[in-house]
């Protein structure tokens, strides 16, 4: 699944969703330079996902230890109470994890990736490993679609689109770029951001204050985009950084290939 090009759309959806937790987004705003180094932050996230997906066990454990070490040194201030809090609090780690993994699963399936309900549950269960790597107890992480739905229902009353969430929203629609690249941003990036936003759950649209688009139209947009992106030769797509798939293939031997078509068998 993680070799599918719709992961880029799914990743942007995850950012929109994660920004709706006031404490989680405040931690990002106070400890991250994402507005000045958006590409660098994106690549660091892609590198972590790529390492935990395609890297060796040792590399994945080291990546997780690095994330835990960095998070353990940081704190943020609650805008409502003025109190400081640790950004590696389990509640915040769980929200970021669930918003991310749910977005990956939702966008890929809705865009036409062949995955049965049982395989979707297996995907969520497998990601308790990545949850452990960032410091969560796997026993407390949703292991199937029912558990994930229950989690979002439980956390929903704590979500809001405050000033920080709106700053993320504005940034995702209009990220800073070189003047010569503005036309490309408007043509390419804005479509990705708008499609990612459109795929959010209804309550997220309500919180952001914009009407939710028709679900059928969103699904059509995801399927058309998925079909177009999947038409790009895989070998060409795999050349994009951080190139984890190519390194895994080299490590495992010339016969090793990601084979998403097997998911439908």
């Amino acid at each position: 699944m993680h070799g599918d090009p719709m992961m880029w759309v799914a990743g942007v959806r995850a950012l929109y969703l994660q920004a709706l937790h006031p404490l989680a987004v405040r931690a990002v705003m106070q400890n991250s330079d994402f507005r000045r180094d958006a590409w660098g932050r994106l690549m660091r996230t892609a590198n972590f996902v790529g390492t935990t997906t395609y890297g060796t066990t040792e590399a994945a454990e080291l990546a997780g230890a690095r994330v835990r070490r960095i998070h353990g040194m940081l704190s943020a201030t609650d805008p409502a109470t003025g109190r400081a809090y640790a950004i590696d609090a389990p509640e915040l780690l769980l929200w970021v994890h669930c918003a991310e993994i749910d977005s990956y699963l939702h966008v890929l399936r809705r865009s036409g990736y062949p995955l049965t309900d049982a395989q979707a549950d297996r995907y969520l269960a497998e990601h308790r490993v990545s949850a452990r790597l960032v410091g969560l107890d796997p026993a407390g992480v949703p292991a199937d679609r029912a558990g994930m739905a229950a989690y979002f229902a439980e956390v929903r009353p704590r979500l809001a689109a405050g000033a920080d969430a709106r700053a993320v929203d504005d940034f995702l629609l209009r990220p800073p770029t070189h003047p010569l690249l503005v036309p490309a941003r408007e043509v390419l990036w804005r479509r990705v951001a708008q499609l990612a936003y459109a795929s959010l759950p209804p309550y997220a649209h309500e919180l952001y204050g914009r009407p939710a688009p028709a679900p059928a139209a969103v699904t059509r947009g995801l399927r058309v985009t998925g079909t177009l992106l999947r038409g790009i030769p895989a070998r060409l797509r795999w050349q994009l950084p951080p190139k984890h798939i190519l390194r895994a293939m080299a490590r495992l031997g010339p016969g090793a290939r990601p084979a998403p078509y097997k998911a439908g068998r």
Side-chain angles (χ1 to χ4, degrees):
M1 285 178 64
H2 289 182
D4 190 89
M6 287 299 287
M7 283 286 288
W8 291 99
V9 176
V12 177
R13 181 191 190 265
L15 295 176
Y16 272 117
L17 194 55
Q18 288 166 349
L20 291 176
H21 193 299
L23 296 184
V25 70
R26 170 54 38 170
V28 172
M29 300 297 280
Q30 290 189 347
N31 291 284
S32 171
D33 59 351
F34 77 93
R35 282 174 287 193
R36 293 189 302 272
D37 184 28
W39 180 249
R41 179 173 174 80
L42 180 64
M43 292 310 301
R44 286 190 291 273
T45 300
N47 190 57
F48 178 79
V49 174
T51 298
T52 56
T53 305
Y54 298 107
T56 63
T57 299
E58 180 183 13
E61 293 289 350
L62 287 173
R66 185 162 52 249
V67 168
R68 296 194 304 273
R69 183 172 64 253
I70 293 172
H71 284 175
M73 296 186 295
L74 302 176
S75 64
T77 302
D78 186 337
T81 65
R83 295 178 180 175
Y85 61 92
I87 72 169
D88 61 353
E91 174 191 354
L92 303 184
L93 294 178
L94 184 59
W95 168 252
V96 170
H97 171 85
C98 289
E100 177 183 326
I101 301 307
D102 177 77
S103 291
Y104 295 164
L105 184 61
H106 179 88
V107 168
L108 264 66
R109 295 192 83 190
R110 200 170 175 185
S111 66
Y113 191 93
L115 212 65
T116 66
D117 288 346
Q119 289 167 336
D121 286 341
R122 176 181 169 186
Y123 176 77
L124 295 175
E126 288 178 352
H127 268 283
R128 286 180 295 176
V129 175
S130 62
R132 175 185 63 78
L133 289 172
V134 298
L136 284 164
D137 179 358
V141 177
D144 54 28
R145 289 168 300 121
M148 187 67 81
Y151 168 75
F152 280 114
E154 187 272 332
V155 78
R156 167 66 183 88
R158 300 198 292 276
L159 305 182
D164 290 337
R166 298 191 184 283
V168 171
D169 179 24
D170 183 68
F171 173 83
L172 289 174
L173 284 174
R174 288 173 291 273
T177 189
H178 190 281
L180 294 177
L181 296 178
V182 169
R185 181 189 69 183
E186 296 303 305
V187 173
L188 299 176
W189 176 259
R190 186 174 287 266
R191 174 174 173 78
V192 170
Q194 290 175 337
L195 189 58
Y197 176 86
S199 68
L200 288 168
Y203 67 79
H205 293 285
E206 179 182 344
L207 291 174
Y208 275 114
R210 297 200 289 275
V218 177
T219 299
R220 282 196 303 271
L222 289 168
R223 284 184 172 270
V224 168
T225 304
T227 299
L228 291 174
L229 292 179
R230 291 167 189 138
I232 301 173
R235 274 285 185 176
L236 180 60
R237 289 191 276 107
W238 295 341
Q239 294 296 331
L240 293 173
K243 299 187 179 182
H244 287 287
I245 292 178
L246 292 177
R247 288 202 291 272
M249 288 164 55
R251 185 177 73 250
L252 297 173
R257 295 288 186 279
Y261 67 89
K262 289 182 179 179
R265 293 181 177 177

